[in-house]
Amino acid sequence: MPSKLYNKFNKNKYDSEEDMIKQRKHRDNIKQKIRYYKKQYGYDLDFNDLKLYNEFVENLNIIKKVHKFHNFILRFKEPKDKMIIKSDAEIYYTNKTYIDLGLEYIDFLKKLKHEEEKEIVKKKDNRKKDKITNFIEKNTIITF
């Protein structure tokens, strides 16, 4: 059985119990933030890839503006003849500043995993199913 101060992540011992608690809080804080970012912005970050997480946090002010147009930015290509499809043109010109900002950071956006579409989960009714009840005619006599 490992000692109380054994760190299973680094395969070392903690210096003290205070250090152990401090590092645990730090790990829990990162995991909570990853969960929040996934819920808020739709990006699937991994705790094991801390380099990508730190890069995400550095660019968070850009992510806040660009996350709605992530899929559009990745598939958007500036045409050579400056002709854009009508549906893409509407999206592009109404949100031009955010999409242009996202195009500057397209290499970073390619690294991130984004949910394709948020599926609307239908709430299941927790009602009991109607049971078929058999009624007896009024004129019948019931004996027990």
Side-chain angles (χ1 to χ4, degrees):
M1 182 134 187
S3 68
K4 184 178 178 182
L5 297 176
Y6 180 71
N7 183 354
K8 68 178 183 179
F9 300 103
N10 297 341
K11 310 288 186 203
N12 297 328
K13 284 189 173 183
Y14 290 108
D15 296 334
S16 65
E17 194 168 334
E18 295 166 353
D19 185 37
M20 176 180 70
I21 293 170
K22 183 179 176 183
Q23 287 186 18
R24 185 184 303 157
K25 284 183 180 180
H26 180 70
R27 280 193 312 271
D28 290 345
N29 189 14
I30 289 175
K31 289 179 182 179
Q32 289 289 342
K33 286 181 180 180
I34 287 173
R35 201 173 306 138
Y36 171 77
Y37 295 144
K38 183 175 183 179
K39 181 180 173 187
Q40 192 71 24
Y41 305 118
Y43 290 104
D44 189 20
L45 300 170
D46 189 17
F47 178 73
N48 297 327
D49 192 4
L50 289 177
K51 182 180 176 187
L52 182 63
Y53 169 77
N54 290 330
E55 200 173 338
F56 182 86
V57 172
E58 288 173 7
N59 296 319
L60 190 59
N61 58 347
I62 295 158
I63 297 294
K64 289 178 182 178
K65 299 172 185 174
V66 173
H67 77 276
K68 295 178 185 174
F69 312 106
H70 179 89
N71 295 329
F72 180 82
I73 291 168
L74 291 183
R75 62 181 165 83
F76 180 76
K77 297 176 184 173
E78 273 193 47
K80 294 176 183 174
D81 57 356
K82 300 293 180 188
M83 297 295 285
I84 303 175
I85 302 169
K86 186 176 181 179
S87 62
D88 287 351
E90 291 174 12
I91 295 170
Y92 181 75
Y93 288 113
T94 54
N95 306 296
K96 186 177 186 320
T97 55
Y98 298 134
I99 293 173
D100 287 342
L101 181 65
L103 289 172
E104 293 175 18
Y105 291 91
I106 195 160
D107 294 331
F108 173 67
L109 292 175
K110 286 180 181 177
K111 294 178 190 176
L112 297 174
K113 298 175 191 170
H114 191 265
E115 294 176 358
E116 291 297 320
E117 294 178 2
K118 293 183 179 178
E119 297 178 13
I120 299 171
V121 179
K122 295 180 181 178
K123 293 182 179 178
K124 296 181 180 177
D125 291 332
N126 292 332
R127 300 178 193 160
K128 294 180 180 177
K129 293 183 181 179
D130 294 332
K131 295 181 180 177
I132 300 172
T133 54
N134 296 327
F135 294 102
I136 303 172
E137 294 180 25
K138 286 184 180 179
N139 297 334
T140 51
I141 300 172
I142 302 174
T143 56
F144 295 99

